[in-house]
Amino acid sequence: MAVEDAADPGTGGTVPAALATSASEKTLLVLEAALQHHRFTDVVAATGLTKTTTHRILATLADRQFVVVSADGSYLPGPKLLSMAGQALQRIDISAIAQPFVDELVARVHCTVHVGVANADEIVYLIRADSDKPYRMPSRVGHAIPLHTSGIGKVVLAGLTDDGVERYAARTGLPARTVNTLTTVEALAAEIAGVRRQGYALDREENVPGVGCVAAPVHDHTGTVRYGLSISTLTLEHSLDQIEAMAAEAVATADRLSAALGHVGRSAGSTHRDQENPVEPTGHPTRASTSRRTS
């Protein structure tokens, strides 16, 4: 009987099959494996369960329409599972999910943290969480800014193909917000190439004079960079080198938020989508929040 530790399809760790003693645990183990591996032999290997047990559970899942068997014998998500997933996704509130991560980050870096969502050719701020500093950023929740002028916008652009970035530039004309705004296709393309390599983006006073930020991509459950998270501060208080030194904090928090949204694995800067417009949010920004920490 197979009782070896099995790969956990959800975390990449291991789940001892011998510990999956209840029927519900075994069913969930098989369902996760079927969604990851498709073939019966691979599902058996991933779960560590016997072929008889695995086949019985898969038959029940298929009967209940949680999985379906394709013509070539592979397992695919069934209509029942897809319907449940759709209902769950409609109830996702990015602001509510992100707020605890944002508050923790603000407490560590003592700077303002933003979360924004792509909306056509702009970024719309969903969260602005202020630090305990006596000043406040000029941003506000619901405010929209061009993609190329902000750190969050740049990580969204990095999720497009090169052609997608060029189409954005042609469509918008890359209007200047400050003397530091990137206003040529060549400059923007070079910047986005750097964002893809590094996994984060910088705003060097390109949107508001005297304000800089470092931003990281937030992936949704499909791997699309739909959101971004940034750490913002005054350049009088932090040099650009000091701002960039906070990139690891921004990336780590963005990765945790991505995982909370259902994204599996870190792929900052690796999702290039050939689309005319950056992804639009599913619905209007709801429950957006501005919070302030006190020490």
Side-chain angles (χ1 to χ4, degrees), residues 2-266:
V3 292
E4 297 296 325
D5 285 359
D8 181 350
T11 66
T14 59
V15 173
L19 297 181
T21 55
S22 71
S24 58
E25 288 174 325
K26 292 177 181 178
T27 299
L28 290 174
L29 191 63
V30 171
L31 177 59
E32 290 185 41
L35 296 177
Q36 291 287 327
H37 299 285
H38 307 304
R39 298 287 183 176
F40 176 74
T41 53
D42 295 332
V43 174
V44 172
T47 61
L49 300 172
T50 65
K51 290 182 179 179
T52 301
T53 299
T54 304
H55 186 273
R56 182 177 67 250
I57 293 173
L58 283 170
T60 300
L61 291 172
D63 182 60
R64 298 287 185 172
Q65 296 189 318
F66 281 90
V67 298
V68 295
V69 184
S70 66
D72 63 0
S74 61
Y75 292 93
L76 300 172
K80 180 66 173 179
L81 185 62
L82 292 174
S83 175
M84 292 173 63
Q87 293 173 19
L89 290 172
Q90 288 179 355
R91 299 183 63 181
I92 287 179
D93 182 346
I94 176 66
S95 297
I97 294 172
Q99 194 68 58
F101 298 106
V102 168
D103 290 342
E104 291 177 9
L105 182 57
V106 171
R108 289 197 302 272
V109 300
H110 300 283
C111 295
T112 297
V113 174
H114 295 98
V115 172
V117 62
N119 183 19
D121 292 332
E122 299 176 316
I123 284 295
V124 177
Y125 288 128
L126 298 178
I127 294 176
R128 189 197 77 188
D130 295 316
S131 70
D132 50 7
K133 300 295 176 63
Y135 58 81
R136 297 287 174 260
M137 292 293 108
S139 58
R140 66 180 185 277
V141 169
H143 183 55
I145 58 176
L147 293 174
H148 68 287
T149 70
S150 69
I152 294 178
K154 290 178 185 177
V155 297
V156 170
L157 286 172
L160 304 179
T161 62
D162 291 340
D163 286 345
V165 174
E166 291 180 4
R167 287 197 296 270
Y168 165 81
R171 191 166 57 245
T172 64
L174 302 179
R177 303 269 291 194
T178 74
V179 295
N180 293 328
T181 302
L182 302 176
T183 57
T184 68
V185 176
E186 295 77 14
L188 182 61
E191 179 79 357
I192 297 307
V195 173
R196 291 172 183 156
R197 288 192 303 270
Q198 298 167 159
Y200 62 86
L202 294 171
D203 169 4
R204 308 171 185 84
E205 301 185 65
E206 297 161 58
N207 186 61
V208 177
V211 175
C213 89
V214 59
V218 175
H219 300 78
D220 67 11
H221 67 287
T222 69
T224 302
V225 182
R226 186 179 297 276
Y227 311 98
L229 175 146
S230 69
I231 300 172
S232 301
T233 184
L234 298 182
T235 52
L236 286 175
E237 182 173 9
H238 294 91
S239 68
L240 290 177
D241 286 343
Q242 290 173 324
I243 293 172
E244 187 168 12
M246 292 187 279
E249 289 277 9
V251 169
T253 300
D255 285 349
R256 291 172 61 205
L257 178 53
S258 296
L261 293 174
H263 177 59
V264 179
R266 182 175 182 272

